[in-house]
Amino acid sequence: MDVIETKIDTTSDEYRRNRDSMEALVTELKEELRIAREDRPQKAKDRIASQGKMPIREKLERLLDRNTPFLEIAPLVGRGMYDGMIHGVDWCAA
């Protein structure tokens, strides 16, 4: 198999700017994913509990074996909609 040699200069200023920019975007994405997964107002948590529902993360923890690969599809599907907040699914029928 032929080896494809790169012509990217990893010491150039342009490369460093691009890398820094991408690292900032990845950090922002990770924070938005964390918010979608974890941040819920207490009022929302209480409403879910009063309806006899279980938070989806808790249900997944009970259903999946530890270290089982899990692919969450479209965790940021509601990003930027409605009130500008990041929303994730926070309930699943028990």
Side-chain angles (χ1 to χ4, degrees):
M1 177 184 294
D2 293 335
V3 175
I4 300 173
E5 293 185 27
T6 183
K7 295 182 180 176
I8 297 173
D9 179 6
T10 59
T11 61
S12 73
D13 288 337
E14 181 182 15
Y15 175 85
R16 288 183 182 153
R17 282 191 309 272
N18 287 339
R19 185 195 63 218
D20 292 345
S21 177
M22 182 58 72
E23 285 179 356
L25 290 170
V26 168
T27 299
E28 180 182 335
L29 174 62
K30 287 180 180 180
E31 177 60 12
E32 290 187 6
L33 288 168
R34 185 199 64 74
I35 290 168
R37 258 191 327 268
E38 300 171 9
D39 283 4
R40 292 290 174 273
Q42 189 59 45
K43 184 178 177 181
K45 293 176 184 177
D46 293 343
R47 180 181 42 83
I48 292 167
S50 72
Q51 294 173 347
K53 296 178 180 177
M54 182 185 302
I56 188 66
R57 300 287 165 199
E58 185 179 330
K59 190 164 191 172
L60 287 172
E61 285 177 17
R62 292 181 183 200
L63 288 173
L64 300 175
D65 294 332
R66 289 189 193 273
N67 300 320
T68 298
F70 172 74
L71 174 63
E72 184 173 4
I73 298 174
L76 297 175
V77 71
R79 181 179 182 258
M81 297 180 72
Y82 312 110
D83 57 3
M85 302 283 291
I86 300 170
H87 296 283
V89 175
D90 41 318
W91 64 271
C92 189

